[in-house]
Amino acid sequence: MGVISHHLDPTQPTGLLLPGGFAQPNEDLVVAAPYSGEPLARVALAGPGDVDVCVRAAEAHLPPPLADERAAVLERAAVLVRERSEAFARTICLEAGKPIAQARGEAARCVDTLTFAAVEARRLAGEVVPMAGSAAGRGKLAFTIREPVGVVGAISPFNFPLNLVAHKVAPAIAAGCPVVLKPAEQTPLSALLLAAVLLEAGLPPGYLTVLPGYGEGAGRALVDHPGTRLISFTGSPPVGWGIRERQPRKAVALELGNSTPVIVAADADLDRAAARLAASGFTHAGQSCISVQRVYVERPAYAAFLERFAARVEDLVVGDPMDERTDVGPLIDEEARERVVAWVGEAVDRGARVVTGGRVQDGLLRPTVLDGITSDMKVAGHEVFGPVVGCAPYDTEDEAVALANASPYGLQAGVFTARVDRALTWARRLQFGGVVVNETPTFRADQQPYGGVKGSGNTREGPAYAVRAMTEPRLVIIDLPG
Ligand code: NAD
């Protein structure tokens, strides 16, 4: 096996992407590698003044370039990201601590996101209004065209530093909305790399600008700037709902957290359920908004499931995310790790049993399975965002549904059962944006409508759905005398 390099590509941009190109003002932001804790890069730090410059430059791109030109930029960018996918994967791995194989998956998904956004740019259209259907509409022809809402302020989280940026920027390009992006302060590098590719693909300078900075600095300024017409936010629920409250008159699209439940019926294929949930509960050390967190198993199958699940989890390789063999790497920082360790301790104090894991080894929290979780524990009632999955038995279908729904969140849920009628009933009764049957609820394809109900948000992403949110219908009525 070759020597593992933990260095960034020397061509990695580290400046602010301003309307005139990449720039390096005085102040900088130190990006640390989550695995070693060592500084990985120094990136230019944006402040509120930069936001104003970028929003004004963005406004100058309205009306936007033609839709077919925007589609062509996205198509060329998709080709470039595919060609350079290993460089993107390395950057994701280094800055987010995401194991390299999973980082490659994210880079491949970014290609999908760009490709589907290009399709949406090409087929962006309104609809014909059936005016002949009423006496009032008689003698009129009416239709809608879709117009961009205006400048989008995009704010993204650390856990998918490339593809969640693409889920905002690519639909904005498709919709004709210029966009100012503030990536997460922990992971600005993948966003800058993607922006460089979009410029190379022909995006006009200033249509997209990228401002690495803090939430309370550049983030707040972007939210409050009168020129941003839609804030597209992915991140934690308190920050997201805080933005909604601060800007009641602005369009605010929120993609927030979850406490992802799974119901496993006794008739399910237990081996498959154990294998799929063990793999997905610990992807990127559980730092996915749809990471499996709570597993409710029908009591007769509970012991068998727990044994198989724990065995699979114990097989996961924990270590350096740059190592090809690694399944589970670090949490984003020490503070996150200490919080998750404390939550496991609280669950144990309240009666849960650690089946495996539960301890920190070489700085990494081992994948942890808890037996006997209850809804009052933080590991059940809140979003863990760490490598912890809690399990509990249930006796009746009603109880299973009530347990799964006993959460302030509603992004995705999963069910494993051999009975299609039961799966369909649960799909209707589970209060989530998506219900995944006989597959992990950590599943996401980038074209699907993705988003939550309750505390998990108020929108759907996926290029077709995001483009809808980023455009508004303009009604045209033509009088047809006679
Ligand atoms: P976070 O809320 O801490 O930060 C997200 C972004 O918001 C960052 O760019 C941050 O700088 C910015 N921010 C913070 N305070 C702000 C403020 N006052 N004004 C404007 N911007 C501000 O979230 P995180 O820790 O980066 O990400 C983890 C969270 O994101 C989890 O809750 C996870 O579930 C959620 N998430 C949701 C989805 C989804 O699609 N639903 C996807 C990924 C992550």
Side-chain angles (χ1 to χ4, degrees), residues 59-443:
E59 283 171 332
H61 286 278
L62 290 167
L66 298 174
D68 67 319
E69 294 169 1
R70 306 197 305 264
V73 167
L74 291 164
E75 286 158 357
R76 281 193 291 271
V79 171
L80 290 171
V81 175
R82 181 180 287 124
E83 283 172 4
R84 298 174 200 171
S85 56
E86 191 59 20
F88 275 100
R90 281 184 57 84
T91 301
I92 295 168
C93 175
L94 286 170
E95 71 172 341
K98 181 174 291 189
I100 187 70
Q102 296 160 25
R104 288 189 186 117
E106 181 174 348
R109 285 184 49 193
C110 175
V111 175
D112 288 349
T113 305
L114 292 163
T115 305
F116 276 104
V119 170
E120 294 309 319
R122 290 201 185 278
R123 60 185 215 115
L124 186 59
E127 58 193 22
V128 173
V129 182
M131 295 305 265
S134 76
R138 206 174 288 157
K140 304 278 189 289
L141 173 67
F143 56 92
T144 58
I145 52 177
R146 303 238 28 128
E147 288 290 306
V149 292
V151 176
V152 169
I155 300 177
S156 55
F158 74 81
N159 63 329
F160 280 85
L162 178 65
N163 195 36
L164 289 183
V165 166
H167 266 291
K168 305 204 173 304
V169 170
I173 295 170
C177 296
V179 53
V180 182
L181 168 74
K182 196 211 79 65
E185 55 270 35
Q186 304 94 328
T187 57
L189 298 166
S190 308
L192 292 168
L193 208 53
L194 179 63
V197 157
L198 285 160
L199 287 180
E200 191 179 332
L203 194 67
Y207 188 101
L208 165 68
T209 44
V210 182
L211 298 177
Y214 295 105
E216 286 299 332
R220 183 178 274 266
L222 193 57
V223 167
D224 291 344
H225 197 291
T228 50
R229 306 305 295 273
L230 165 70
I231 300 300
S232 174
F233 175 88
T234 300
S236 59
V239 174
W241 291 114
I243 291 173
R244 169 72 287 175
E245 278 163 28
R246 208 159 77 231
Q247 287 295 343
R249 300 184 71 149
K250 210 173 255 199
V252 175
L254 299 175
E255 289 280 358
L256 310 175
N258 199 30
S259 164
T260 309
V262 182
I263 302 174
V264 180
D267 62 23
D269 178 341
L270 293 187
D271 281 327
R272 177 176 161 74
R276 294 300 299 134
L277 299 178
S280 60
F282 303 93
T283 305
H284 196 194
Q287 297 166 113
S288 160
C289 45
I290 41 173
S291 195
V292 170
Q293 188 175 320
R294 302 177 283 143
V295 183
Y296 301 111
V297 185
E298 201 170 352
R299 195 175 296 276
Y302 186 62
F305 171 84
L306 200 57
E307 188 186 327
R308 290 174 212 192
F309 181 55
R312 295 269 185 180
V313 173
E314 279 165 7
D315 281 346
L316 295 172
V317 177
V318 183
D320 180 354
M322 251 319 172
D323 190 325
E324 300 282 343
R325 295 164 301 185
T326 296
D327 298 305
V328 183
L331 287 167
I332 191 69
D333 54 31
E334 208 179 308
E335 189 186 335
R337 190 190 68 202
E338 293 314 312
R339 176 187 57 77
V340 178
V341 167
W343 286 19
V344 170
E346 189 242 26
V348 170
D349 289 346
R350 286 176 182 264
R353 177 176 71 90
V354 175
V355 182
T356 184
R359 67 200 155 86
V360 174
Q361 190 179 329
D362 299 329
L364 305 180
L365 176 57
R366 305 286 305 177
T368 301
V369 176
L370 297 173
D371 167 26
I373 56 159
T374 52
S375 298
D376 58 337
M377 296 173 184
K378 284 185 179 158
V379 292
H382 297 264
E383 179 179 36
V384 173
F385 228 58
V388 179
V389 176
C391 302
Y394 72 84
D395 290 303
T396 67
E397 290 191 18
D398 283 350
E399 185 191 1
V401 170
L403 284 167
N405 283 340
S407 157
Y409 302 117
L411 188 48
Q412 279 194 169
V415 302
F416 282 83
T417 173
R419 275 178 45 190
V420 74
D421 60 328
R422 184 182 270 164
L424 291 174
T425 305
W426 279 340
R428 289 187 57 201
R429 294 184 65 194
L430 290 168
Q431 293 156 7
F432 290 81
V435 177
V436 184
V437 178
N438 290 338
E439 174 54 290
T440 171
T442 312
F443 176 87

